[in-house]
Amino acid sequence: MRLLIADDQNSVHLFLDKMLSAEKLGITEVLHARDGGQAADMAEKYQPELILLDIRMPVMDGMEVLEHLKQKKFQGKIIILSAYNEFEYARQCMGYGVKDYLLKPIDIEELENTLIRLMEEIRSEYVHRLCSLEFDFLAGKWKTEKWEEETEKILQVLLRPEEGFFAVCSRAGETLQINERNDSVSTAATEELQIFLCRCKSQKEWMQDVEFLRNQTSCPVGVSTMFHERKQLRAVLEEAREALTQGFYNMGVNIYRPGTFVYPGKQPEGALADRLTDAIQKGNVQEIKVSLEKLFAGFQINSVHPQYVCEFCYSYLIGMNKNFVETFQRLKGNDLTADFTYQDVVSLKNTFFRFILTIRSDVTPEKALSDTDTVKKIKRYIDENYEKDLSLAAVTKHFFISKYQVSRLFKKMFGKNYSEYVLEIRMRTAGHLLLNTREKVEEIARQVGFEDAAYFSRVFSKYFDGISPGEYRRRAAAEGKGEKNDESPL
């Protein structure tokens, strides 16, 4: 962060050079102007984030400098230094957006506290602006020249000179802890993606952060390489987003690698696609599954670009049934291909299989199930089958949908994580059974999906703020709720 000191007294410059803890405060460069004309020129040329401005100076006085900077739309914070305790000066200065008015002789503690406060304001404003620029990037609203110039200035303030930076990209709604320091510069999210910009001091620290991410999450995550050039923010964000795409075949954390995918010039699926078609015509569901697995394994072995795989699935389904277009338009409500852009192969394969079964069964377009329809169906399944195995792995296998897709859509649609909702249904049901039946705790545990009664009791107690199942039943009986079953064996 740059500080410009504008004062015609050399003693002021010497005093501040000696007494001001610039490096400790995070000021990376101190500039000096000894008259108003110099101050105006240097402010325009170097665009310092902070200016200490004297009122009485030759060439241009402080008020004239303020007028000049206002005309140039200067964005930095200005502190007036003056030996004149005059209300009219202060009032006029505030009209120019001056942030503070300090009197000479300079109280160095007061000045440093003012600088600290203003620097925090600047950082906060820059983080907000950086988040806005990152959102524009994710939304496809990039403006090249403006970005390079603006992001370079922002990152020079938000990062220390020795720090590098990298980006992490994941699907929107995923909860990520980026590193042990629990530290990131900024974050932005659209409906589909979220991106984090992170600082690191060295390549070693970057690798430690990558390993930390790998140990903390199994969801698809893309990580850029480490950069130092402040104007290269766009490249960092692009690498992170591309690295997420590169996780199409491999779940977990993927570091950006150039040239990962091949976009084939000819159709590589050939005989495998024919085998799938044959299985569909014979109506052999098991053979359809086997053919699909081999088809997608072929895509993965050959590192076929995800876009090509999505286009293949889309074209194949249209080839099966022209009504597929109508089906998708009803489900998505806009561009058909948008619903066939998937971040991972499992989601795409399951959706592809689901639509094959839909078309093969002559289901009309209006009855076809999208991913959101399927997640609603899963919620109903939980409500009616809370005693069964409701692990994500079991449920998603049953409904032919990726567990990552379920997790993302469940939170988006119902405001709760999948596991939170399952626990809520089971605990509410357990509470109801405790109040309205004389069943033993062991039996109630089994009825709500717990084989181990002791484990059920621990979960129940944690959910109900330390109240055990037995105590829950006794309190209810004492308050006249449910059945009077104080003596019911537990």
Side-chain angles (χ1 to χ4, degrees), residues 118-135:
L118 294 182
M119 290 169 74
E120 284 304 311
E121 284 185 20
I122 292 168
R123 290 190 184 97
S124 178
E125 291 170 4
Y126 276 25
V127 167
H128 178 77
R129 181 58 187 148
L130 185 58
C131 291
S132 176
L133 291 171
E134 290 166 354
F135 177 85

Side-chain angles (χ1 to χ4, degrees), residues 220-239:
V221 175
V223 182
S224 76
T225 55
M226 178 181 171
F227 282 67
H228 289 279
E229 288 289 332
R230 304 316 192 216
K231 63 183 178 182
Q232 290 183 309
L233 178 65
R234 177 179 180 177
V236 171
L237 301 180
E238 285 178 339
E239 281 196 5

Side-chain angles (χ1 to χ4, degrees), residues 386-387 426 429-450 456 460 469 473 490:
Y386 44 78
E387 77 284 0
R426 285 175 164 169
T429 303
H432 175 79
L433 292 173
L434 285 166
L435 295 183
N436 295 284
T437 74
R438 293 182 178 271
E439 298 279 3
K440 293 182 178 181
V441 171
E442 291 86 346
E443 177 59 23
I444 290 175
R446 189 191 63 76
Q447 289 182 35
V448 295
F450 290 82
F456 163 75
F460 186 95
R473 176 176 269 171
L490 300 178

Side-chain angles (χ1 to χ4, degrees), residues 415-475:
K416 292 185 176 69
N417 292 327
Y418 175 85
S419 57
E420 291 175 344
Y421 184 74
V422 171
L423 179 64
E424 179 182 312
I425 291 297
R426 285 175 164 169
M427 291 299 101
R428 281 168 45 191
T429 303
H432 175 79
L433 292 173
L434 285 166
L435 295 183
N436 295 284
T437 74
R438 293 182 178 271
E439 298 279 3
K440 293 182 178 181
V441 171
E442 291 86 346
E443 177 59 23
I444 290 175
R446 189 191 63 76
Q447 289 182 35
V448 295
F450 290 82
E451 294 298 325
D452 186 339
Y455 177 63
F456 163 75
S457 294
R458 289 196 299 273
V459 173
F460 186 95
S461 180
K462 184 177 180 180
Y463 186 84
F464 285 100
D465 299 323
I467 302 173
S468 69
E471 180 64 21
Y472 185 87
R473 176 176 269 171
R474 283 190 288 272
R475 288 188 185 185

